[in-house]
Each structure stands twice: as structure tokens, then as C-alpha cells.
Amino acid sequence: MDIAIIGSGYVGLVAAAAFAEIGHNVICVDNDVTKVDALNRGETLIHERFLPELLARHRGDRLRFTSCVDDAVRSSSVIFIAVGTPSAESGDADLSLVENVACSIAQTINSHKIIVEKSTVPVCTSQWIRRVMLQNGAPREMFDVVCNPEFLREGTAVTDFLYPHRIVIGADCASAAETLRKVYTPLLDGSYAKLTKAIPQPDNAVVPTRLIVTSAESAEVIKHASNAFLAMKISFINAVANVCEAVGADVEEVCKGMGSDARIGSEFLKPGIGYGGSCFPKDLTAFRSVSYDSGYDFRLLDEVCRINEEQRFRFLRKVRQALWNLKGKRLAVLGLAYKGGTDDIRESPAIAMVKLLLKEKCEIVAYDPAATERAKEIFRDGEVQFSHDLYDTATDADALLILTDWEEFAGMDLTRLGKAMKNQIVIDGRNLYRPETMIESGFTYYSIGRRERVPRKVVRRLNTAA
Ligand code: UDX
């Protein structure tokens, strides 16, 4: 099929590469000419596993990049809108980019098109797209609007796309739903997974994928409600972690106990300094706002956000508990990305933590395997020292803070780390270590939802000093 993807951000670029991978002719549009030039030159632009391979396989063949929306619209029958939907000041999603795209399609339409909302949008957006198309002169019989939300996680977006747990198609017209089903056939019948050149399946892949066909409104709600629910699960376990700290329980044991109930499940039950990223915070606010505007005051969502914000301040208290005065203390910060496996720092709790620590006048040396360049853009020159090596970061540090769950941070050489640091103190905002491992290696260890652990020899030294 001939497919156009409008918007080449995380979602658009991954979708474009993956649609080419399952056999379609794809033209991917971005109005940023420098971005299009870079993509045409062979750059990947984002840190995403398997994306470079897919772009190299299909660029210039089944996958083309352009800055001209009109060309893309004319040469395709299915058009995916994957432009940004940032939060407006009111908390509503700002849909002006979606509206602009709908206008452009209406003005160029030359044959029947299926317009697919891929960006996360509030309920009723498909109706608005339809209305804008008509207002801009597109004949009613020339197009259908479908909602096909994505559930891609950054870092695993390519495999999430090629091996999704479900594909949701929200359409008010059976023929449009059928066309979309055809677009995804290689995933729905399992034929893609059988190809020798297929990107390898992740462990938890469900092949073939389940198809769920709904009304457009239901599909729109599925997307927002799914993200809100996942964010709620994270805030819930973070709140439980706080109770665990208060009563001397171990949240990791609690997670194991809770997560093994199939009705609860163990995923998204990892306590930490909170969720971030370009989706959860924005989608939660938008869902809250949409619910309110439609007459339902969804206050549970406020509480989810509040708990998330509070986690940072609780973590700051832990740093104080470990070091007393913070002014002038040298802190080694591991992680700037909002989660491991990505260079994305949007709404990153790690960045928020660094900002709080800078306010306390700490000296920050930070290391992130992928997000350093992006982080450099948001701090003033010299405000934060950036390091390119984990162990250099720790040199002479008063404490080491783990803020992002990168795999590299979970497998540190603890002897080498201990030797580099001034004080062997680790404050782990992602619970990457077992407390026993840390105290055996001589570290005083603070984590989330578990009590502080101090090695025996440190306790003896402190007692002798007292
Ligand atoms: C999320 C959704 O998972 C995806 O379906 C949707 O399409 C986009 O938003 P993403 O933002 O890439 O994807 O990241 P995700 O892996 O879901 O993590 C979001 C945040 O929650 C991260 O900051 C992560 O560190 C945090 N998190 C996640 C936790 O704190 N605990 C958990 O148990 C899981």
C-alpha cells in the first residue's frame, strides 16, 4: 500500500520505518527541512534500538522523506497523522498541528484517502478532523477518518510496533477499518515474524497480534485511559513504597507478592523517583482536562500527578538524610534520560532532580550513556559537569545518585566504584541493587521503599567516634 506519515518525530519515524519493513511504500513528511535532509543523508536522529537497521534497509527504496505534504498526500491512499500534540497552558492538548495537517490534506485531496490519527489525541478529535476536512472543501465521499493509537515505548518502539500486544482500530465505517486491517496484515497473521530477516521478537511477544476494532471515540479513550492507568500503577506503587519506608517493610518484596497476582501483574510496578517522558505527564493532564470538559471530575488523576511530583521531594530528603548539608557537596549523578534505553529528557524526573540539587548548591557531575548532548542544551554553561565515563563521574564524590534505570548502572564494578568515591554512599532512585549486595561491597545504601542499609564496619566506626 502507499502510505504517508505526517510528522517524523518518535512515533512518525518509527511507524514509517516499520511500515516499510512490513512491505508498504512509505513517504514520511516533516516541515523541518534540516531534519528531512538529515534523514535523507542517512542519519537516524533518535536513539532507538533497531531503527538504524530499518532505516538503512528501506531508505531510498520503500521509504522516502520529504518536506512537501502535498506530494505525500497525492501519492498515498492511507495518511497517518503523527504530529506533536503538546500540552497547552490550560492542560488541554494543543491540536493546532493536527488541524493544520487536516487543512493541507483537504486542499490537496485527489482521490479517496483514509486519514488515520496516530498522535495521542483527546476524544472527539476524529470528528474535528472530519469537520475541518469538509470546511476546507474536501468532498465527504473522498475520505474516512480512523483512530489507530500507538502504544510504543521509547527504547523498544520498533519491537513494540512490529510485535504489538494489540492493534486498536477505531473506525465508524467498516470499509475503512478493513483497509487498516490490511495495512497490518503481516502482523495480524504472523507472517512478518516468520521472515528470516525479521527483527527478533522480544520475549513477551504475542504472535499473531490481536486486533480490536472499536468506534473512533472508544479508540481515543483507550489510548488516554491506558496511559493514565499505567501512570496510576506507578504512582500507586510509589505511594506503597512510602508506606513501606514508614513501617519498615521492603517494597520489592511487596511488589513480588502483589505482582504475582495475575489480576495485578508485575509490570509497571517498579517504584522510583517517578514517571516522566513525553507521554504520561502530558496525556494525564489532557485526559483530566477532557474528562472535566465533558462533565466528569476525574480527581484520581490529580492525585496520580501529585504523588509523582512528591517522589522527587522525598528523594531530596533522602539525599539530605545521607549527607546532612548539601551546599558544596559533590554528587555523582547517574542518568539524565527519563528512563533507560533512550536519549529523551522530556519531563525527565532525573533532570528535575538535578535542578533541585543545583538549587541546594550541590556540585553535580553527571553521566548518561545517551542523553548528555540533549541535557547540555538545558543547563547553563558550567552549571553541571558532564562526564563520559561512569567511574570518572564517581571520582571524589560525596555520594552517588542513580536517577535513571540504565542497564549499565545495574551492573557496576562496585569495588572500582568504591575506590573512586570519597564517601561510599549510594542513593538509588530506581532500586537497581539488592541492599545486601551494596552493604557487602561497603556502601551505605539508600533506596526507595526499603530501609537505609549501613555496612557493619561503618556502624562500628560511627559508634567508636561517638
Ligand atoms: C509510555 C507508554 O508505555 C506507551 O504505551 C505510550 O505509547 C507512550 O508512553 P514511554 O513514555 O516510552 O511509553 O515509557 P514507559 O516505559 O512507559 O515509562 C514511562 C515512565 O514511567 C518512565 O519515566 C519510567 O521510568 C517510569 N516507570 C515505568 C516507572 O517509574 N515505573 C515502572 O514500573 C514503569
Side-chain angles (χ1 to χ4, degrees):
M1 263 182 217
D2 293 313
I3 290 179
I5 310 274
I6 307 196
S8 64
Y10 275 93
V11 173
L13 193 54
V14 170
F19 279 136
E21 171 74 358
I22 60 171
H24 301 296
N25 295 316
V26 183
I27 180 157
C28 185
V29 190
D30 204 291
N31 55 9
D32 182 341
V33 182
T34 49
K35 213 168 166 184
V36 172
D37 288 346
L39 287 165
N40 277 326
R41 274 199 308 272
E43 291 176 29
T44 310
L45 297 183
I46 53 172
H47 180 91
E48 194 61 60
R49 195 154 182 236
F50 298 123
L51 188 60
E53 287 91 325
L54 292 194
L55 292 178
R57 259 182 218 179
H58 305 297
R59 183 189 291 116
D61 178 21
R62 288 210 292 259
L63 175 59
R64 288 179 299 133
F65 297 100
T66 178
S67 51
C68 179
V69 181
D70 294 359
D71 278 356
V73 170
R74 277 196 214 101
S75 61
S76 55
S77 54
V78 183
I79 303 167
F80 286 84
I81 304 182
V83 293
T85 53
S87 286
E89 251 173 53
S90 58
D92 293 334
D94 174 354
L95 298 177
S96 51
L97 293 177
V98 175
E99 183 174 351
N100 291 348
V101 172
C103 289
S104 305
I105 300 173
Q107 284 154 10
T108 319
I109 200 160
N110 59 336
S111 59
H112 186 271
K113 313 283 176 197
I114 294 189
I115 300 162
V116 192
E117 313 163 22
K118 196 74 175 155
S119 310
T120 302
V121 289
V123 68
C124 298
T125 303
S126 65
Q127 286 176 24
W128 274 107
I129 294 177
R130 196 170 293 122
R131 203 182 289 182
V132 169
M133 292 284 297
L134 294 171
Q135 279 165 354
N136 283 274
R140 180 67 203 90
E141 67 287 358
M142 291 275 274
F143 69 93
D144 288 299
V145 182
V146 175
C147 172
N148 170 222
E150 52 79 20
F151 303 100
L152 309 178
R153 291 162 300 173
E154 287 183 22
T156 53
V158 170
T159 46
D160 284 348
F161 195 101
L162 294 170
Y163 300 101
H165 285 186
R166 81 291 209 192
I167 290 170
V168 175
I169 297 176
D172 298 325
C173 145
S175 63
E178 179 53 21
T179 306
L180 256 265
R181 196 191 59 73
K182 282 190 188 141
V183 168
Y184 285 105
T185 297
L187 308 182
L188 293 168
D189 65 9
S191 58
Y192 173 72
K194 291 191 191 124
L195 298 177
T196 39
K197 276 177 76 183
I199 295 293
Q201 291 182 35
D203 291 343
N204 62 351
V206 181
V207 178
T209 298
R210 181 171 179 202
L211 175 69
I212 299 169
V213 179
T214 67
S215 69
E217 287 74 19
S218 298
E220 288 163 342
V221 174
I222 286 171
K223 171 68 203 222
H224 263 158
S226 299
N227 274 359
F229 188 86
L230 291 171
M232 179 185 75
K233 219 175 159 188
I234 298 169
S235 279
F236 186 89
I237 202 61
N238 281 334
V240 170
N242 299 335
V243 175
C244 287
E245 282 176 18
V247 302
D250 177 333
V251 74
E252 294 299 329
E253 290 175 354
V254 173
C255 286
K256 205 165 158 195
M258 283 175 67
S260 54
D261 182 331
R263 293 169 304 172
I264 298 173
S266 56
E267 285 196 57
F268 277 75
L269 218 50
K270 287 200 206 83
I273 55 169
Y275 61 77
S278 65
C279 289
F280 283 176
K282 169 174 79 78
D283 289 355
L284 228 74
T285 325
F287 194 34
R288 167 84 176 92
S289 178
V290 149
S291 313
Y292 190 79
D293 291 346
S294 43
Y296 182 69
D297 193 5
F298 206 155
R299 273 182 281 178
L300 173 64
L301 301 182
D302 291 341
E303 192 56 16
V304 171
C305 296
R306 192 197 60 75
I307 294 170
N308 198 51
E309 299 273 305
E310 191 188 284
Q311 278 311 95
R312 296 167 194 175
F313 293 97
R314 290 186 66 96
F315 191 77
L316 183 64
R317 280 216 290 277
K318 274 188 206 294
V319 184
R320 271 207 198 98
Q321 190 190 338
L323 297 174
W324 190 23
N325 292 304
L326 297 185
K327 192 172 167 189
K329 294 277 160 69
R330 183 178 171 89
L331 302 182
V333 163
L334 296 189
L336 296 162
Y338 79 97
K339 66 171 190 178
T342 177
D343 60 350
D344 199 339
I345 54 164
R346 285 176 289 175
E347 302 285 331
S348 169
I351 298 280
M353 267 326 302
V354 170
K355 286 184 176 166
L356 287 177
L357 293 163
L358 286 173
K359 266 198 192 150
E360 300 287 334
K361 305 214 172 346
C362 296
E363 187 189 328
I364 305 286
V365 192
Y367 168 70
D368 188 286
T372 304
E373 290 312 310
R374 287 183 193 256
K376 277 182 184 166
E377 288 166 21
I378 59 165
F379 293 107
R380 285 196 310 275
D381 256 0
E383 205 177 11
V384 169
Q385 295 171 49
F386 294 98
S387 162
H388 296 288
D389 175 84
L390 192 157
Y391 301 96
D392 286 350
T393 313
T395 305
D396 292 333
D398 288 290
L400 178 116
L401 276 48
I402 302 176
L403 302 184
T404 307
D405 56 346
W406 278 102
E407 251 175 60
E408 185 183 345
F409 302 160
M412 293 188 284
D413 176 342
L414 296 176
T415 314
R416 190 172 162 200
L417 186 73
K419 281 189 185 141
M421 294 177 69
K422 183 169 147 198
N423 295 324
Q424 281 187 264
I425 299 175
V426 169
I427 311 168
D428 184 354
R430 296 291 178 181
N431 284 8
L432 297 189
Y433 285 89
R434 287 175 54 242
E436 294 68 29
T437 311
M438 295 310 276
I439 50 169
E440 275 161 24
S441 302
F443 287 92
T444 298
Y445 182 64
Y446 297 80
S447 55
I448 309 287
R450 299 182 292 191
R451 66 187 172 83
E452 163 200 352
R453 297 297 293 271
V454 187
R456 241 188 235 134
K457 65 173 188 205
V458 176
V459 176
R460 274 201 301 270
R461 203 168 59 223
L462 291 174
N463 285 344
T464 317

